[in-house]
Amino acid sequence: EVQLVQSGAEVKKPGESLKISCKGSGHSFTTSWIAWVRQKPGKGLEWMGVIFPGDSDTRYSPSFKGQVTMSADKSINTAFLQWSGLKVSDTAMYFCAIINSGYPEAWIDPWGQGTLVTVSS
Amino acid sequence: DIQMTQSPSSLSASVGDRVTITCQASQDITNSLSWYQQKPGKAPKLLIFDASNLETGVPSRFNGRGSGTDFTFTISSLQPEDIATYYCQQYDNLPLTFGGGTKVEIK
């Protein structure tokens, strides 16, 4: 069974750094894209970007470029999303998900369970 | 970026009713459209890809159709377990974009 397991909920202060993780199993981690999707409380889904763990090719949504960094360590089947200076407006649920295709322009399935990030002073 | 306009934003229907949601793309996306179901507190779940293909294991009461810029998603007979928010998503071009969502409730 293809599965993504994300790291646990985080509570941080504005300006702090954070790195959350997404560990894959049951599929070839190096031949699928991993997408990151943000969902603010009570709001819709926002596509942040994708990374191809095989060669770390990364494509960011213009809305998130420069705001976050995506990375991956294929030796441990894990993708990461990190911030260097969190803002209160980063408070959201963050999902990772698989794009089971050789190219990033495809449907997204399956999804991780989500990581809730709360930023508050 | 391709804008996806989804309507209605919410609807209330009775068990057994036919429910229809529409999604309009700001430009031609051929059939590069998927539909997701998200229940409260859960991750989204893929229901339909390539506009009309049902994902394995998804009940046949869910249906999608359309191409170009106009798409519809239908639940032929609403069931209590279908209470959720539904999203369309285009994957014709990066950045991938989602519709605003439709919250489906039982009347």
Side-chain angles (χ1 to χ4, degrees):
Chain A
E1 179 194 4
V2 178
Q3 197 173 11
L4 293 174
V5 177
Q6 298 186 232
S7 49
E10 302 274 2
V11 180
K12 292 288 188 180
K13 296 188 185 313
E16 290 185 334
S17 61
L18 175 64
K19 192 173 188 177
I20 62 175
S21 66
C22 169
K23 184 173 177 62
S25 62
H27 77 290
S28 176
F29 198 73
T30 56
T31 58
S32 301
W33 293 80
I34 299 291
W36 288 96
V37 176
R38 182 175 78 176
Q39 187 169 38
K40 292 192 170 186
K43 301 298 183 183
L45 304 170
E46 301 173 90
W47 185 84
M48 302 175 70
V50 288
I51 185 166
F52 191 73
D55 62 5
S56 290
D57 185 5
T58 309
R59 318 282 177 90
Y60 292 95
S61 165
S63 299
F64 291 92
K65 191 166 188 176
Q67 308 305 307
V68 296
T69 302
M70 296 175 193
S71 61
D73 184 340
K74 59 186 178 184
S75 70
I76 55 171
N77 284 4
T78 302
F80 301 96
L81 181 66
Q82 69 181 84
W83 295 259
S84 59
L86 285 160
K87 307 179 186 71
V88 172
S89 58
D90 292 319
T91 295
M93 182 72 82
Y94 292 88
F95 295 101
C96 65
I98 291 171
I99 297 180
N100 201 359
S101 166
Y103 44 88
E105 296 90 349
W107 58 89
I108 303 175
D109 181 70
W111 298 59
Q113 84 277 18
T115 295
L116 181 62
V117 174
T118 302
V119 184
S120 174
S121 53
Chain B
D1 299 4
I2 298 175
Q3 307 303 315
M4 304 301 294
T5 303
Q6 191 175 334
S7 63
S9 57
S10 65
L11 66 89
S12 181
S14 300
V15 172
D17 281 355
R18 182 182 185 88
V19 167
T20 299
I21 299 168
T22 65
C23 191
Q24 185 171 59
S26 59
Q27 65 188 67
D28 189 341
I29 60 169
T30 60
N31 68 334
S32 301
L33 186 99
S34 52
W35 290 94
Y36 302 87
Q37 176 193 64
Q38 186 179 32
K39 295 186 177 181
K42 298 293 187 182
K45 173 189 171 185
L46 176 71
L47 299 179
I48 288 169
F49 61 94
D50 285 348
S52 60
N53 290 314
L54 205 62
E55 173 71 343
T56 303
V58 173
S60 59
R61 63 180 180 274
F62 296 102
N63 176 267
R65 59 184 302 173
S67 67
T69 61
D70 295 302
F71 302 86
T72 59
F73 171 82
T74 301
I75 307 173
S76 61
S77 177
L78 185 67
Q79 300 301 304
E81 61 265 32
D82 299 336
I83 299 315
T85 300
Y86 294 84
Y87 295 92
C88 62
Q89 178 230 326
Q90 69 80 21
Y91 45 88
D92 186 67
N93 270 323
L94 296 185
L96 307 189
T97 45
F98 292 92
T102 298
K103 186 173 184 179
V104 175
E105 297 175 320
I106 295 284
K107 195 181 292 184

